[in-house]
Amino acid sequence: MKKITILQTSDIHGSVYPINYGNNENVNVGLGKIASIINQERHLDDQLLLIDNGDLIQGTPLTYYSVQYLQNEQNPMVRILNYLSYDAAVIGNHEFNYGMNVLSQAVHESKFPWLSANIIDAKSKEPYFGLPYTIKEIDSIKIAILGVTTHYIPNWENEQNIAGLAFQDALQETKKWVAYIKEQENPDVLIVSYHGGFERDIENGEPTEKLTGENQGYAICQEVEGIDVLLTGHQHRSLIGNINGVEIVQPSNNGQMIGKIVLTLNEKNEIMHKASELLAVDEIEADEYILKMTAHFEEETQMWLDQPIGKIEGDMVISDPLLVRTSDHAAIEFINNVQMDIAGVEISNTSLFNDASPGFERNVTMRDIISNYMFPNTLKVLRLSGKDIKEALEQSAQYFSLNEAGSIEVNPAYIYPKPQHYNYDMWEGIEYVLDIRNPVGKRVTTLNYKDAPIQLAGTYDVVMNNYRAGGGGNFTMFQDKPVIKDIPMDMTEILVNYIRERQTVKATVNHNWKVIW
C-alpha cells in the first residue's frame, strides 16, 4: 500500500504571530503555530503535499503595514510559505484588496505556483495567473492540483483592483478543467483546491444560504466527475467529510487549524481509502524561526500601532454588541460622520463588523483604529431611490429574530454557517424604526429624511463602503446604481486623518434610529 498526505491551510489572513492585535493578548492562531504542525507531519511523512487555499496576504496590521510602508521588501507571507516549501497556493478574493501591484509582486516572489483556472485575462481569455493546475509526483503517484476561486469577487472588490480580469463561473470551469486534466494528464489522484465554500448542508444537501453562486462546493462534489479531494475555504468553517465520494475539508481561518487528508492507494495507484481530519494549534508552540523571519515586520508594526492619533471626549466604548445594533451608539455614529464628512453627503451607512470591536477609549492609537475597522475598505457614493433605501433597511432587519420568550436575538442565519455581523448596517442622516415583531419585509415602520417621509421615487446620495456598494451581503438593491463619487483612500487612513485634524472628537448620539420588539 502507498500513502499520500495532503496538508491544507486556508484563510490565514496575514496571521503569523499568536496574538490579538487589539490588545496583544495570546491567542491560538497564526502561521507560527501552523508551521510547527507542518514540521511534525513532515517527520512522519517527508513527501506530503502542502497547499494554501487562498486569502493569505491580507488581514492583519502586519500585512497592512508591510504593503503600505515596506513595499520594497519581500511579502512576509510569501517568505514564510517559500520557507515551508508549499507546493501550490490558490488566489482568494482578499488577495486583491491591496491592489494588483501587491498581488503581482507576491506571485512573482513565490517559489510555488498560484493557481486559479477561472480568473482569466479579459482579452486573451487565458488564466491570468498562468497556471490553472499543477502536477506533482509522489512515490510514482501522479497528482493533479486544480485551483479555482469564487467568481463572486466583482460584487465586492474595487473595480481598479481587478481591472482587466474576468471571473468565470467556478463550477463550470471546474467541470471543463477536470475533464481536460483527466484526458491530457491522466492523473492517479485529482485534487481541486477551491477558494469557496458550501452552499448546502454537507450532510443532507439542504440550502444553508441564498444560492448566489458565491459558494458552490456542494455542487462541485455532486456534478463534477473524477474529483478525489475538494479543499475548500472562504467561509471560515471547520469541516471534514465526504460528499458523493469526494473527501472534503475546510480548516477555519487565521491559522487556527490545518486540514489533513490521507489517501491510501494500492500498488496499481488506485485509491482504496480516504480519511480527513483537522489539526488544531491549541496546544502547539509557535515555530521560533518563523517568528524570527518576520520579527522586524512585527516590531515596526507594533510601534506603528501604538502611535497616538488623538482623543475622544465622551463615551465611544462598546460593551454590548447587540445593544449597539439595536440602538444608536456613539462609535457607529462617529464612523458614519467620518464617511459623510469626506464624501460631502448627508446620508451614510456602516456596520459593527464583528463582536470583538471594542469601540474607542479616550486616548486613540492606530491600534484602536485597526481594532474597530479591520477591513481595507474604500468608500463610494451611490445615488439611490427612496425605495432602494427602504429595501436595504428591510434587508438589514432580517439580522434579527425573536425567540420563544419574545426577546430579540441574532437570526441564526447570520451566525451559521459563518458569522455575518458585517451584513447588518446602521444609518445616519435618516430617521427610521425597525419593528422586529413584524414579518420580514415589513419591519420598516418609520422612514424619514429631514423630518419628512422619504419619497420612494426620490433620489438620495448615500456613502458606504465598497463591499456594500457592490451589493455584498445580499444588498442587491445597490448593484449597478450610479456611482456619484469614488473615494479610493483606505477607510483606516480616512479615520486617522479625521481624528488628527481635530485632535479631539466629541462622542455624539442623536438617536436617529432604533430597533423595537
Side-chain angles (χ1 to χ4, degrees):
M1 289 293 182
K2 301 179 180 180
K3 184 179 74 170
I4 296 173
T5 299
I6 306 158
L7 297 182
Q8 178 219 2
T9 53
S10 191
D11 299 88
I12 294 293
H13 285 290
S15 183
V16 179
Y17 285 74
I19 59 172
N20 175 350
Y21 281 98
N23 52 27
N24 273 353
E25 292 181 358
N26 290 332
V27 286
N28 289 316
V29 299
L31 267 178
K33 284 175 171 275
I34 289 290
S36 294
I37 294 180
I38 292 171
N39 291 334
Q40 291 174 5
E41 291 295 317
R42 278 214 167 101
H43 282 302
L44 301 174
D45 183 358
D46 62 357
Q47 289 190 307
L48 54 78
L49 281 173
L50 186 53
I51 301 168
D52 185 78
N53 192 57
D55 282 4
L56 172 74
I57 66 173
Q58 174 277 336
T60 59
L62 184 147
T63 54
Y64 180 87
Y65 183 85
S66 69
V67 302
Q68 293 293 331
Y69 303 106
L70 299 172
Q71 302 99 324
N72 294 327
E73 298 205 35
Q74 185 183 30
N75 188 292
M77 308 307 293
V78 169
R79 179 181 295 182
I80 293 172
L81 265 62
N82 282 343
Y83 173 76
L84 292 172
S85 299
Y86 269 70
D87 293 289
V90 174
I91 302 291
N93 53 294
H94 283 285
E95 256 68 70
F96 296 97
N97 287 172
Y98 297 139
M100 279 300 296
N101 287 341
V102 171
L103 175 52
S104 296
Q105 180 182 338
V107 171
H108 176 73
E109 292 170 348
S110 300
K111 295 179 181 178
F112 50 87
W114 286 80
L115 311 175
S116 187
N118 65 312
I119 301 178
I120 65 172
D121 186 298
K123 291 183 179 179
S124 71
K125 307 303 181 185
E126 297 295 324
Y128 183 86
F129 296 96
L131 292 175
Y133 67 91
T134 188
I135 300 292
K136 295 287 180 178
E137 187 168 305
I138 296 177
D139 195 13
S140 300
I141 302 167
K142 188 176 183 180
I143 306 162
I145 306 166
L146 173 67
V148 286
T149 306
T150 177
H151 59 261
Y152 216 60
I153 291 172
N155 291 282
W156 311 311
E157 191 54 70
N158 279 325
E159 292 178 7
Q160 59 266 33
N161 290 349
I162 54 174
L165 303 182
F167 296 82
Q168 306 291 88
D169 185 281
L171 172 62
Q172 300 306 319
E173 290 301 294
T174 301
K175 287 181 181 178
K176 182 182 85 173
W177 282 102
V178 165
Y180 176 88
I181 291 168
K182 287 172 66 66
E183 180 180 344
Q184 298 295 320
E185 304 286 357
N186 191 30
D188 299 306
V189 175
L190 204 160
I191 301 166
V192 175
S193 189
Y194 168 49
H195 189 82
F198 294 96
E199 72 281 29
R200 296 178 182 274
D201 186 287
I202 65 172
E203 298 293 338
N204 59 33
E206 291 297 316
T208 54
E209 62 185 35
K210 292 183 179 179
L211 302 181
T212 62
E214 175 182 350
N215 298 298
Q216 299 174 297
Y218 193 87
I220 288 173
C221 290
Q222 294 288 356
E223 298 181 28
V224 184
E225 294 290 332
I227 298 174
D228 298 304
V229 172
L230 180 67
L231 308 177
T232 67
H234 184 58
Q235 292 174 309
H236 299 185
R237 299 169 68 185
S238 303
L239 295 172
I240 57 171
N242 192 289
I243 302 173
N244 194 31
V246 180
E247 199 73 11
I248 64 100
V249 67
Q250 187 172 147
S252 188
N253 64 302
N254 295 341
Q256 298 179 73
M257 55 188 66
I258 188 169
K260 179 181 178 180
I261 293 181
V262 177
L263 305 179
T264 305
L265 298 86
N266 62 21
E267 293 303 316
K268 296 180 180 180
N269 291 347
E270 299 167 330
I271 298 174
M272 306 302 293
H273 184 259
K274 303 174 184 179
S276 54
E277 61 180 316
L278 295 171
L279 308 177
V281 303
D282 293 4
E283 306 300 325
I284 303 295
E285 292 293 323
D287 184 284
E288 288 298 326
Y289 188 77
I290 295 296
L291 302 187
K292 288 178 182 177
M293 286 178 66
T294 52
H296 83 282
F297 287 92
E298 178 70 7
E299 290 164 5
E300 291 197 30
T301 299
Q302 290 290 349
M303 291 174 59
W304 173 69
L305 286 171
D306 288 330
Q307 288 179 9
I309 305 297
K311 295 183 182 299
I312 301 296
E313 183 180 309
D315 184 7
M316 281 195 197
V317 175
I318 293 173
S319 55
D320 183 345
L322 186 61
L323 184 62
V324 172
R325 296 186 181 107
T326 53
S327 57
D328 201 6
H329 189 278
I332 299 300
E333 188 164 303
F334 163 64
I335 293 173
N336 273 321
N337 285 340
V338 172
Q339 293 186 172
M340 291 187 293
D341 177 78
I342 195 168
V345 298
E346 297 178 314
I347 305 176
S348 170
N349 66 49
T350 192
S351 303
L352 179 63
F353 293 120
N354 64 48
D355 286 352
S357 297
F360 299 91
E361 300 278 357
R362 173 173 171 76
N363 296 307
V364 181
T365 65
M366 183 62 73
R367 193 181 304 278
D368 298 307
I369 301 294
I370 297 292
S371 297
N372 286 283
Y373 211 106
M374 61 289 298
F375 296 112
N377 290 334
T378 59
L379 299 176
K380 292 182 184 292
V381 176
L382 301 187
R383 183 153 292 166
L384 303 176
S385 68
K387 180 174 179 288
D388 294 328
I389 292 174
K390 185 177 182 186
E391 288 179 359
L393 289 169
E394 291 288 3
Q395 175 65 33
S396 276
Q398 295 184 47
Y399 177 80
F400 299 109
S401 58
L402 298 180
N403 60 26
E404 293 181 357
S407 297
I408 197 167
E409 62 183 12
V410 178
N411 183 340
Y414 285 78
I415 299 173
Y416 178 83
K418 174 185 177 181
Q420 297 181 56
H421 302 298
Y422 51 82
N423 284 330
Y424 169 73
D425 290 336
M426 292 155 282
W427 293 60
E428 193 64 35
I430 58 175
E431 301 85 45
Y432 63 95
V433 175
L434 305 180
D435 190 339
I436 308 307
R437 296 169 296 186
N438 292 345
V440 167
K442 297 182 178 180
R443 290 177 166 180
V444 179
T445 57
T446 300
L447 180 54
N448 296 330
Y449 175 65
K450 294 185 176 179
D451 299 321
I454 271 189
Q455 301 300 308
L456 296 184
T459 57
Y460 306 85
D461 291 348
V462 181
V463 61
M464 64 189 73
N465 68 57
N466 61 286
Y467 172 80
R468 188 68 79 239
N474 296 317
F475 285 78
T476 55
M477 71 292 300
F478 295 154
Q479 290 178 333
D480 302 320
K481 290 300 188 294
V483 178
I484 304 306
K485 188 181 294 185
D486 189 354
I487 304 166
M489 187 183 300
D490 191 293
M491 187 60 188
T492 54
E493 188 175 350
I494 293 171
L495 288 165
V496 168
N497 290 343
Y498 184 92
I499 296 173
R500 278 185 172 153
E501 287 171 6
R502 290 156 180 79
Q503 283 302 297
T504 299
V505 175
K506 291 185 178 181
T508 62
V509 185
N510 62 10
H511 302 291
N512 65 299
W513 64 272
K514 63 182 177 180
V515 178
I516 60 176
W517 63 93

